[in-house]
Structures are given as C-alpha cells and as structure tokens.
Amino acid sequence: QVQLVESGGGLVQAGDSLRLSCAVSGRTFSGYAMGWFRQAPGKQRELVAAISSGFATTYADSVKGRFAISRDNAKKTVYLQMNSLKPEDTAVYYCAAGNTIATMNSARYWGQGTQVTVSS
C-alpha cells in the first residue's frame, strides 16, 4: 500500500516562500511520476507541477518561474518550493503519485492535502 503525507503548508504573506513536502511510503517511489495539485474554494482542482521518474518536470503557466518541483528518491519525498507567493495561490495542495506526467490527473494515490493561505 502506498501512502502520501503532505506537510509544510501554512499562512504567509504575499511575496513570501514556502516549501511543501510529500513523504511517500512504499517500495517503488522512484518509479512513480509525482505531482502537486491544488484546489481553491469554488474552483476545480488543477495540476500545479509534476515530475517524472526520469526527473522531467512540467508546470502550470500560473506558477512558472515561481515554483519548483523536485524529488529525493532516497528519502522517498517530493518537494514543491513556492516563491513569490500570491493571494491567488491560496488553496489546499495535494500530492499525487501516478504512472506518468501525462496521466497525472488520474493518479492512483493521493495525499490528504495541506492548506496554503497567502494574505495580501
């Protein structure tokens, strides 16, 4: 069984930085593509960033140049470094593990989410 546990969310001011972490249990972390999603109240869930098992990355246009996704296979952890945060980044952020970046929206495993709130 694979479990994902996010941490690192919180309340910050616009312009601040946060780093989210997602610790993954299970034996085959290195084989998964990993993604960070977010969902704001009243809005659809969106893919923020994803990283493949081969370390290829993709980002939503709204976060390019501000967010960076990375993974540490030895620690079975994926990170989302968020810089220059904006109030519109406020959302619950979810970590997901799937087969490929292209199929991340139908990822098999999901974390419970961590709240990020950015005040203006």
Side-chain angles (χ1 to χ4, degrees):
Q1 184 70 15
V2 176
Q3 292 185 326
L4 285 66
V5 179
E6 302 99 333
S7 61
L11 172 63
V12 298
Q13 293 186 333
D16 285 351
S17 298
L18 274 178
R19 189 176 80 156
L20 304 183
S21 299
C22 174
V24 181
S25 66
R27 299 180 182 177
T28 58
F29 172 79
S30 61
Y32 288 116
M34 301 297 300
W36 285 99
F37 290 79
R38 67 186 180 187
Q39 187 165 22
K43 294 189 176 181
Q44 288 190 330
R45 183 185 69 195
E46 65 169 337
L47 177 63
V48 174
I51 185 167
S52 72
S53 58
F55 293 85
T57 59
T58 187
Y59 296 93
D61 287 343
S62 59
V63 306
K64 281 181 181 177
R66 300 189 298 122
F67 290 13
I69 189 170
S70 61
R71 65 190 296 161
D72 185 331
N73 288 342
K75 294 183 178 180
K76 295 183 180 180
T77 301
V78 61
Y79 304 97
L80 185 67
Q81 178 67 43
M82 305 186 293
N83 300 325
S84 302
L85 282 161
K86 304 175 181 180
E88 50 263 45
D89 295 318
T90 295
V92 178
Y93 283 70
Y94 298 91
C95 175
N99 292 326
T100 67
I101 289 180
T103 59
M104 189 55 62
N105 276 301
S106 57
R108 183 174 181 181
Y109 301 106
W110 294 83
Q112 80 289 349
T114 185
Q115 177 71 47
V116 172
T117 303
V118 184
S119 64
S120 57

